[in-house]
Amino acid sequence: SPAMAVDQLSLEQKVGQLFIFGFPGYGLSPALERNLRVLKPGALIIFRRNIKSLKQIAQLNADLQKASLSYSKLPLFLAVDQEGGVVARIQTSPSLPSAYTIGNTNEPTLAFQAGKVTGEMLKALGFNVNLAPVLDVTDEKLNSFVGTRSFSESPRKISSMGVAFAEGLAETKVL
């Protein structure tokens, strides 16, 4: 069981479980494999620089999980930023709408469905964490770095839409 596996880790390895690491490349390189073996991180973040195709990222995620289980007896959290709009590491056609577009519908059920569809896609590719939704408040002119990544300039709307999106993700077992 994962709880027993954690008990068997050294202090250094338990500390490693607290970290999320990024890495270069499209595959399980010797350096990345060494980090998994020695540091036993709890999570890896996948960036656009790690994704060449859907088949490649699904295989990489499977390879990462297999290596982690081999070295630490623990699965990895595999995280990605898949917000929709301008922040989408997995490119789709058509692209997923931005949070601001979803927020303008004033329909939390649509936000839930967007979260669920996103989660289903990520789960199929081997991801189990989505670093979304963004719950920052955007300004009404969309001039901040947050821009269309936020559901609204209204904290109340951000709350209802963000919770709905997160619940859609959770239904697919993507955190």
Side-chain angles (χ1 to χ4, degrees):
S1 88
M4 286 178 27
V6 170
D7 289 340
Q8 296 172 4
L9 296 176
S10 69
L11 178 59
E12 291 82 9
Q13 293 164 336
K14 287 178 182 177
V15 170
Q17 285 290 297
L18 300 174
F19 287 94
I20 300 174
F21 293 108
F23 58 93
Y26 298 121
L28 186 57
S29 68
L32 178 54
E33 192 158 4
R34 180 192 170 283
N35 284 340
L36 291 172
R37 181 174 31 83
V38 174
L39 301 174
K40 296 179 178 53
L44 294 174
I45 182 169
I46 308 299
F47 292 106
R48 185 77 194 123
R49 68 177 183 235
N50 304 117
I51 302 170
K52 189 181 346 179
S53 70
L54 297 179
K55 183 177 180 181
Q56 169 269 329
I57 194 57
Q59 185 62 57
L60 175 58
N61 286 344
D63 292 345
L64 293 170
Q65 289 293 11
K66 183 177 177 183
S68 180
L69 288 169
S70 170
Y71 298 130
S72 72
K73 311 285 188 274
L74 295 168
L76 287 164
F77 285 114
L78 291 175
V80 67
D81 289 307
Q82 191 70 19
E83 299 170 15
V86 297
V87 180
R89 305 301 181 231
I90 310 297
Q91 301 299 306
T92 62
S93 182
S95 59
L96 296 169
S98 70
Y100 197 76
T101 298
I102 294 169
N104 280 334
T105 69
N106 293 312
E107 292 289 337
T109 56
L110 184 61
F112 174 87
Q113 289 300 322
K116 185 175 177 182
V117 165
T118 300
E120 288 170 346
M121 175 185 63
L122 295 178
K123 182 111 174 152
L125 296 172
F127 292 100
N128 50 25
V129 176
N130 187 12
L131 301 173
V134 170
L135 300 179
D136 292 76
V137 177
T138 194
D139 69 32
E140 59 191 34
K141 297 178 189 91
L142 302 176
N143 288 333
S144 75
F145 75 94
V146 175
T148 60
R149 296 172 61 206
S150 171
F151 289 104
S152 177
E153 51 285 324
S154 160
R156 181 168 285 137
K157 186 189 287 188
I158 292 167
S159 175
S160 67
M161 300 300 269
V163 165
F165 188 94
E167 286 174 341
L169 287 169
E171 187 161 300
T172 67
K173 305 221 183 316
V174 171
L175 299 175

